[in-house]
Amino acid sequence: MVKLDRLINVLGGYGARLVCAPRSRATELRAVALHDPGEELPGGDEVLLAVGLDRRGAADLLARTRAVVVVFRLDDLDADALERARQREVAVLLVDPAVSWGQLAGVVYGLVLEGRETEAGRGPTDLFALADALAESVGGPVTIEDHRSGVLAYSQRQESADQARLETILGRRVPEQIRRELVERGVFRHLAVSDEPLFVEPSGARRGRAVVAVRAGKALLGSIWVGTAAPLDAARKAALVQASRTAAAHLLRTRASADLERQVESDLVIGLVEGHSDVATAVSRLGFRGETFRVVAVQAHNRGEHDAAALLAFELATVGFGWSRPGRSALFANTVYTILPGDDGEQAREWVRSLAREMPSGVEVFAGIGGPAGPDGLVDSRREADESLAVHAAKPDGAAAVVYDESWHEILLRRLQHVAASGRAPERGPLARLRAHDREQGARLVATLRAWLEVQGDLGAAAARLEIHPNTVRNRMRKVAEVGALDLDDPDTRLALIIALAAEPQWIPHNRGGRGCAESTSLGTSASRMISGDEQE
């Protein structure tokens, strides 16, 4: 059962405008009716499609109807009609006249009567039947593609298909090289503005193609391609145009149904990763099998347009790659959360790579993969995914994602840094005294202490890291103990110092940041110190 708010949002994607909204958008819709002048107007809890009415008849219909929402295929309504709608508490949607009533009815019926649509069967089956029928009519192999050149369906008749078409079908999308060539030849520019079929001349080993846009109003939904050695004659061209209209109605129904399914799926996923749902019921409704899962957090950035990139990532995650997908996803703010079955971190990373490959060029994808967890532990895995995502976004290093199991130490340090930044780290104590001494004397006691701790007290290794003589390190460490009033032989003291230094935002582990805390001195000065072996602080 769909609510008024959902209907408004979905139809908004096809150019619909809400011009009157006196009712709560949470009102449930249970039925759809078409306007028929010879019948009594339908009653409550219904969507009324005002077929055949112009502006003059709109006011009279709104004065009599008891429907929750009335949909007109008009550019605007006069003030009298809108006033009558407000008086009778009828929501009014105006849809672009370029969208046909057949297409519009397909969307509305698919949304409101979701149960009936499911019983009738959804998915690519009808499009495959359409592709087969069209192939018989035009005498050539057919593929039906979405607006991103992904293959939705193809005809059984492919015996005359060339290698490029076979690669497209096997890969379920047009190969990137061929797509770039079609862009350069202006094919997609034609599809964006014209409903007329276009003949694409042969190129190399590739046969010719006839292509037509699949459109709902002004929105491009996809395209239909026919393999043909020469331009289609008038009869076959007419069959191709008619097939594009049939495909548009099907794609609209599929998109509307998928939109509703995404909402249900998102609600279930969010409930699991936030811990406020019946776990067993949610897992069952999502169709999961198994005992172990990982939560993946994904963000996509496109030159600052994070929202648009996030929506595309969510669409790809919920449509999947081909006609099946392993995980279930939700979009929360600008992050896509996906629950993947299994405990293999590398499989989860490969899922992220697959998602990133589907994104347009120029879009950066950052991802964090939480640790393995049972259904009751998905809240923890989501928290780990968030923290892993933060690590990846802060230090992208070419990897597809950061996996919690492999980067828990970096996550721990980020937690410590967060504690320090929030003012909960001690502001007084030995480190504060050492920093004050460094500022006043121009010394480097803190840097020396950090290097000494990193190499576990090895004077030679600390000296090499700082590019100074071991005796200089020994002298400085004696001063560290004196100024900081520290017992450096005490293991608890050393551990506390390591934690306090690691919590500093500017701290960089030696194995990730080159020389780590090396002295900022010239090579000549460093060399003279190593020779002399002494330094007074």
Side-chain angles (χ1 to χ4, degrees), residues 249-271:
H250 177 84
L251 291 180
L252 285 170
R253 287 196 302 271
T254 302
R255 180 181 287 190
S257 298
D259 190 74
L260 184 61
E261 290 168 358
R262 284 191 184 104
Q263 181 192 14
V264 173
E265 180 176 318
S266 289
D267 291 343
L268 292 170
V269 169
I270 289 174

Side-chain angles (χ1 to χ4, degrees), residues 182-183 185-200 211-213 215 220:
L182 294 174
V183 169
R185 296 173 70 176
V187 174
F188 292 107
R189 185 165 58 250
H190 171 87
L191 293 176
V193 299
S194 176
D195 294 329
E196 286 296 313
L198 173 70
F199 178 66
V200 182
V211 60
V212 68
R215 198 183 316 277
L220 182 65

Side-chain angles (χ1 to χ4, degrees), residues 274-464:
E274 291 197 336
H276 54 67
S277 67
D278 181 331
V279 173
T281 300
V283 168
S284 175
R285 290 186 62 187
L286 287 169
F288 280 135
R289 300 291 182 270
E291 299 298 327
T292 308
F293 305 88
R294 285 181 185 263
V295 176
V296 182
V298 175
Q299 288 183 351
H301 297 194
N302 184 19
R303 300 181 184 89
E305 297 179 3
H306 302 337
D307 292 341
L311 286 170
L312 178 57
F314 178 57
E315 182 177 348
L316 291 172
T318 49
V319 170
F321 319 110
W323 291 290
S324 64
R325 54 193 171 95
R328 299 294 180 265
S329 304
L331 177 61
F332 190 79
N334 66 338
T335 304
V336 176
Y337 291 100
T338 299
I339 301 175
L340 291 175
D343 60 1
D344 190 336
E346 184 55 37
Q347 285 185 358
R349 187 183 274 121
E350 180 56 36
W351 180 87
V352 174
R353 291 193 190 101
S354 300
L355 181 68
R357 284 195 294 266
E358 297 292 314
M359 298 292 286
S361 60
V363 176
E364 288 186 289
V365 175
F366 301 103
I369 300 171
D376 293 322
L378 290 172
V379 174
D380 295 328
S381 185
R382 179 263 176 105
R383 186 180 301 111
E384 294 162 355
D386 280 334
E387 293 182 302
S388 300
L389 171 62
V391 170
H392 194 211
K395 292 187 291 185
D397 55 3
V402 167
V403 181
Y404 176 80
D405 316 43
E406 303 166 1
S407 303
W408 65 268
H409 58 294
E410 294 185 74
I411 291 169
L412 174 61
L413 294 179
R414 288 183 64 88
R415 291 179 184 177
L416 295 173
Q417 291 166 4
H418 177 72
V419 169
S422 64
R424 285 179 282 175
E427 297 180 358
R428 297 186 295 176
L431 283 180
R433 291 193 291 273
L434 291 173
R435 290 192 186 94
H437 179 85
D438 283 353
R439 287 193 302 270
E440 295 168 3
Q441 304 296 325
R444 299 178 181 84
L445 298 186
V446 174
T448 304
L449 172 62
R450 181 184 289 114
W452 183 81
L453 289 169
E454 285 180 346
V455 297
Q456 303 179 42
D458 187 324
L459 291 176

